[in-house]
Amino acid sequence: MIGGIFDRYWGAKIAVRFAVIVSIIPAILALENLRRLLAEVEKSSDAMALLVRLSVALVPEHLSAAVPVALMLASALTVRQMILRGEWQIAAAAGMSRLRIMAVPLAFAALVAGAQFAIRFELRPAGERALDAIYHELQTGEHGLPLPVGQPIELDAGTTIFVGGIGGGGTRHLEDVVVRRGEDSFSAPRADIGFSPDGGVRLRLRNGVGVIGAGPGQARAVRFDRMDFSGRPPASGVVDNDAMHQFDMLSGGALLQKARDGTPLERRLALTALVMRADSVLFCLLIPWFAILLGKPPRRKESAAGILVAIVLVVLHLKLAASIEANFAAHVLLAEMLNLGLWTAAAAGLVYLEQAHGEGVVDVLIARLVEPLRRLRRDRRALRGRPAAPRAGGAEVVPFSPGSRRPAMGGSFVPGPERSVSAVPLPKAAAR
């Protein structure tokens, strides 16, 4: 019956480790993205507030990546500790079957899969929408004008502007602006600028002068009260306008609606998004099988190579999911069925290997693969004149006798000179 002392003890250990790891990984990812976020908001009028908003909006994305890693590590580290302490063996000796012991990590994985469902279908799309809104605010100049002062800015393929200063107080006024379009130049002490959400820029010079070509080798100066320019600078938008990104911002219900009522392209993209979100949830149910089998060390050893393999498997799953989403959207259902089938077969293969070769079989295989490298290292040390480290269990046991000696290059027992073999009386048992 689930819920006994062993189950509560087993589940509490997994839950504590999971909570710690799932808190650490998003913090590490946030620190990794800190420099990029600072570069995006450093020219805004309220950089710190925007930095906090961006960091909070990224939390669901970081959590969705941290959940499978935390579940794998929490389960693997817990079973490793229980085996090293003998608690796993006690449970098995008490008559608990493999499936009965696995009931606790499987139940915990089901809870984590539910949390991953909420993250991927609701929280992460909300975070994507919040990020999109912040980037639109930055692009439209609501937090200051993100323009480099004193450097050329391409308004379009044939127009370049130079800005001498930006008005304070979050205004959209530029100072000492020069615009060059082909052979013509225009300058004004003041200009107004506006941004559109699609990355377009509108510039209006006020009370300026211009120098325009009037013929071969001739120029003409003009004065103007107002002159407008517009264009779309290359890569001016910070908002991702990719079609798949637009579906990343939709919740699960909105995706289902698009998959039913949208255009053929919308239905395909919505189905791809739904399948890949479901993949991250279903994989959580497979994780305990990998974690328990890879977390067990070999008997009478404390190797932890299997835990590193478990982490590699989680990363490999994330990479495969991204590859399916990017390259197999036209046949996403078939690709996903094949993907889950391969992971299920891998878990079943690990179960078979453990039953056939014992616990910690992956660690043993890795040790065998590494052994030639260790032997080569010992041989190199011996060639350099350094004594190789003695191998465990390699010492030779030699019987000891007060009047005996051992030859320099042999392993057999040699009687001392003062006592010949014939002088040693044989035991009665030997004489018989």
Side-chain angles (χ1 to χ4, degrees):
M1 178 178 179
I2 299 178
I5 296 177
F6 176 78
D7 295 328
R8 293 195 299 270
Y9 176 77
W10 186 197
K13 283 185 170 295
I14 297 179
V16 170
R17 285 182 168 86
F18 176 82
V20 172
I21 298 172
V22 86
S23 302
I24 292 175
I25 294 178
I28 294 175
L29 293 176
L31 290 176
E32 181 183 359
N33 291 327
L34 187 60
R35 177 178 295 181
R36 176 179 63 84
L37 297 178
L38 283 173
E40 292 177 352
V41 303
E42 63 180 353
K43 296 178 181 178
S44 62
S45 57
D46 46 357
M48 290 306 300
L50 283 174
L51 182 62
V52 172
R53 290 176 60 190
L54 287 172
S55 300
V56 172
L58 284 170
V59 168
E61 179 181 346
H62 295 163
L63 276 178
S64 65
V67 161
V69 179
L71 179 60
M72 180 76 82
L73 283 178
S75 302
L77 292 174
T78 301
V79 70
R80 170 181 165 81
Q81 183 188 54
M82 293 180 69
I83 288 180
L84 293 179
R85 290 183 177 182
E87 297 164 346
W88 185 278
Q89 293 86 337
I90 292 173
M96 299 179 68
S97 64
R98 178 191 299 271
L99 289 177
R100 176 61 185 83
I101 299 176
M102 287 288 295
V104 173
L106 286 175
F108 189 82
L111 294 176
V112 173
Q116 182 75 327
F117 181 89
I119 293 172
R120 290 304 305 268
F121 283 85
E122 297 297 333
L123 294 181
R124 184 167 176 178
E128 293 288 345
R129 291 193 296 270
L131 284 173
D132 194 71
I134 295 172
Y135 285 135
H136 271 296
E137 293 174 9
L138 286 170
Q139 187 169 340
T140 56
E142 295 186 20
H143 302 279
L145 302 176
L147 298 175
V149 176
Q151 299 181 15
I153 305 169
E154 290 187 7
L155 192 61
D156 55 34
T159 306
T160 305
I161 64 175
F162 298 84
V163 179
I166 299 176
T171 61
R172 301 189 183 187
H173 302 310
L174 306 179
E175 300 173 352
D176 299 329
V177 179
V178 177
V179 179
R180 296 198 61 179
R181 172 169 289 177
E183 299 296 329
D184 303 334
S185 298
F186 307 90
S187 64
R190 177 184 171 183
D192 301 328
I193 190 170
F195 299 88
S196 60
D198 60 353
V201 175
R202 299 181 303 274
L203 187 67
R204 173 170 292 180
L205 276 63
R206 297 184 180 274
N207 301 321
V209 296
V211 178
I212 60 176
Q218 298 180 359
R220 180 167 59 93
V222 297
R223 289 184 176 272
F224 57 86
D225 296 331
R226 187 182 71 183
M227 184 170 291
D228 295 335
F229 298 89
S230 63
R232 187 187 301 272
S236 62
V238 293
V239 180
D240 190 355
N241 292 319
D242 180 68
M244 199 64 207
H245 173 71
Q246 303 303 318
F247 284 82
D248 290 339
M249 296 187 291
L250 298 180
S251 62
L255 283 177
L256 285 174
Q257 185 176 0
K258 286 286 186 181
R260 290 195 309 262
D261 306 328
T263 64
L265 177 60
E266 290 176 341
R267 289 198 299 269
R268 179 171 64 84
L269 294 177
L271 180 62
T272 301
L274 285 170
V275 168
M276 300 321 300
R277 293 183 193 184
D279 171 79
S280 65
V281 176
L282 295 175
F283 184 70
C284 290
L285 300 177
L286 289 175
I287 283 178
W289 297 100
F290 292 105
I292 302 303
L293 297 172
L294 294 174
K296 293 180 180 179
R299 293 183 180 181
R300 297 179 295 276
K301 293 183 180 181
E302 298 184 1
S303 172
I307 295 179
L308 297 178
V309 175
I311 298 175
V312 171
L313 289 181
V314 176
V315 176
L316 180 61
H317 171 262
L318 294 175
K319 297 296 184 182
L320 285 177
S323 177
I324 291 174
E325 183 177 6
N327 303 313
F328 299 96
H331 308 283
V332 65
L333 285 176
L334 179 61
E336 179 57 23
M337 290 175 60
L338 179 61
N339 181 42
L340 287 177
L342 289 176
W343 285 110
T344 304
L350 281 178
V351 173
Y352 172 78
L353 286 176
E354 182 182 277
Q355 292 176 345
H357 302 284
E359 297 177 349
V361 60
V362 174
D363 296 70
V364 174
L365 291 176
I366 293 176
R368 290 179 180 177
L369 293 175
V370 175
E371 181 59 28
L373 299 178
R374 293 178 178 174
R375 188 180 300 113
L376 179 61
R377 182 181 179 185
R378 288 195 298 266
D379 294 342
R380 288 181 177 178
R381 292 181 62 181
L383 290 175
R384 290 197 299 264
R386 300 178 182 177
R391 291 179 294 178
E396 182 182 4
V397 179
V398 180
F400 174 77
S401 177
S404 65
R405 73 173 187 268
R406 182 176 176 178
M409 298 298 292
S412 60
F413 175 77
V414 180
E418 65 276 12
R419 299 180 65 184
S420 63
V421 176
S422 59
V424 180
L426 295 173
K428 293 181 179 182
R432 290 199 298 267

